[in-house]
Amino acid sequence: PLDNQGLLRAVGATSFNGAVSTSAGSTLRVESAGLTTNVTVASGFTNNGTIELTTTSGVNGVFLNVTSGTLVNAPGGAINVLAGTGGGRVLTAQVDNQGTLFLGTALLINKPSADHASSGTIDVSGGDLTLTQSGTTPSFTNSGALTIGVGRTMSVSGGELIYSGGLLSGNGGLSLTSGTMTLNAGLSNASVVLTLSSSTVNGPGTLTDAAGQTLSITACTINAPLDNQGLLLAVGATSF
């Protein structure tokens, strides 16, 4: 077992086969220093401190994998995806974000058959967030704050996107492709550019296209109540 109370730098191919625990104030830095870094944690764990995905030299990829269970980012915990010197960042884990997930560069989350959740804060201001959902009944449930900066995008493909409330802000883009959106609360595009493609939108919440905004829908089925106050652009085989 590993109990991290300080700074742990994981560089290169590193595996944690036993239980992992972290303390407030600790840092797990998944770091590429000129070579691809691929860190695998066998079982889910709770982050009470800070997890960093970064590069200190070169532009090689940084990968953090959690084989089974859930990576819980506890209240007060932070997962910081840092630009460093460049390269890709991939998180292959089922994520329960109760703290803060900050993107200073692009991040791909791609764990198959995962049920992700965020009741904390996701800040997509320094890079795009791509959530690829595959496998058996994958889903992402948001009930927290989601900030997507201008020029940035959170892209979800496949699976189910469940909106259960939470503040949307930043005026960036939120897109869903080949998936299902379930609105457990009303969703407005007043502070986000919403794009739906080859997807189904279910209620009971209302989807609102706010005044001055454009809602783009391509080849979708809209079963939820829809309140159009702006420009509604329906393309292809779309039904309401």
Side-chain angles (χ1 to χ4, degrees):
L2 170 68
D3 180 18
N4 185 34
Q5 302 181 35
L7 170 61
L8 191 163
R9 295 175 61 207
V11 182
T14 304
S15 296
F16 299 97
N17 296 319
V20 173
S21 59
T22 68
S23 299
S26 69
T27 299
L28 169 59
R29 182 175 297 152
V30 183
E31 175 186 339
S32 171
L35 297 173
T36 298
T37 287
N38 201 322
V39 172
T40 300
V41 183
S43 301
F45 68 99
T46 298
N47 172 49
N48 294 296
T50 299
I51 295 174
E52 296 178 352
L53 307 182
T54 192
T55 50
T56 53
S57 65
V59 291
N60 295 95
V62 176
F63 300 82
L64 175 59
N65 314 292
V66 179
T67 304
S68 66
T70 302
L71 170 56
V72 178
N73 190 35
I79 300 175
N80 295 330
V81 184
L82 304 177
T85 57
R89 309 285 185 270
V90 179
L91 179 57
T92 304
Q94 178 171 282
V95 179
D96 181 0
N97 176 47
Q98 303 171 19
T100 300
L101 171 59
F102 167 75
L103 271 65
T105 192
L107 174 66
L108 169 64
I109 301 176
N110 64 349
K111 177 77 171 180
S113 304
D115 293 313
H116 306 288
S118 181
S119 55
T121 298
I122 298 178
D123 185 352
V124 184
S125 58
D128 295 335
L129 175 58
T130 301
L131 175 60
T132 300
Q133 301 196 116
S134 61
T136 305
T137 62
S139 67
F140 171 78
T141 301
N142 185 77
S143 58
L146 176 58
T147 299
I148 306 172
V150 173
R152 300 301 181 189
T153 301
M154 178 176 175
S155 302
V156 182
S157 62
E160 186 175 14
L161 175 59
I162 303 170
Y163 180 72
S164 295
L167 176 65
L168 301 182
S169 63
N171 295 307
L174 174 61
S175 69
L176 174 65
T177 302
S178 301
T180 298
M181 176 180 285
T182 299
L183 302 179
N184 291 329
L187 174 63
S188 170
N189 65 347
S191 299
V192 67
V193 179
L194 183 61
T195 304
L196 304 172
S197 179
S198 302
S199 297
T200 299
V201 180
N202 296 321
T206 297
L207 177 61
T208 299
D209 181 22
Q213 297 289 84
T214 299
L215 175 59
S216 297
I217 301 174
T218 302
C220 291
T221 299
I222 310 299
N223 297 320
L226 174 58
D227 182 5
N228 179 39
Q229 303 171 10
L231 171 60
L232 177 61
L233 180 60
V235 179
T238 295
S239 61
F240 299 90

